Amino acid sequence: MFKPTPNPPEAETDHQTPPDSASPYENPHTKKFHEAAERALDYYLNTEGIKASSRSPSTMFIINPDFDAETLLVHACESLASANVMAGDLAGTLEGPSRNALLGIAQIIMLGELAVNRALDRLDPPA
């Protein structure tokens, strides 16, 4: 089969591509492009400015940083137990797929409560 153009096509003399071993900074246009790309990457990906900012957390819902791990786990266990009871009570008023979905959520809450209880047992084993 005859092709009207050579394979691969010959490059025009104006727009010849530089050889692979040439530096991208030899051409002033590519140097400017690379500098602009570096500035854009530094602007969007540079995390030094983020780390340097002094961001203080909101004090509306703050947990006392002096609490020990056991106290935090006890409160988490009580919160999960309360959520499990509320989900179970609400599931009793529903029927069909909504009830099944809420019972599944209650089971996930119960599994979280079991995990917290196990962590508490490891901190202070029962006598």
Side-chain angles (χ1 to χ4, degrees):
M1 179 172 157
F2 176 75
K3 293 184 179 181
T5 59
N7 190 12
E10 295 175 9
E12 296 178 18
T13 56
D14 304 3
H15 308 301
Q16 286 186 344
T17 57
D20 292 338
S21 62
S23 169
Y25 296 107
E26 287 180 2
N27 187 343
H29 297 294
T30 58
K31 184 176 181 181
K32 287 181 182 178
F33 174 76
H34 283 284
E35 288 172 353
E38 288 296 323
R39 283 194 309 274
L41 288 172
D42 286 342
Y43 178 78
Y44 287 107
L45 301 178
N46 192 1
T47 58
E48 290 177 13
I50 295 171
K51 292 178 185 174
S53 68
S54 61
R55 182 181 172 271
S56 60
S58 172
T59 57
M60 186 172 183
F61 301 108
I62 192 164
I63 295 175
N64 188 344
D66 297 332
F67 284 165
D68 60 341
E70 185 177 10
T71 304
L72 295 172
L73 286 170
V74 167
H75 284 283
C77 184
E78 291 174 358
S79 296
L80 288 169
S82 297
N84 192 18
V85 168
M86 288 186 289
D89 289 347
L90 184 58
T93 64
L94 299 175
E95 293 181 8
S98 298
R99 182 175 193 269
N100 294 338
L102 195 53
L103 287 173
I105 292 170
Q107 186 175 11
I108 292 170
I109 293 169
M110 183 184 65
L111 291 173
E113 184 183 358
L114 288 172
V116 170
N117 277 326
R118 177 60 58 98
L120 277 170
D121 289 344
R122 288 187 180 169
L123 283 178
D124 187 23

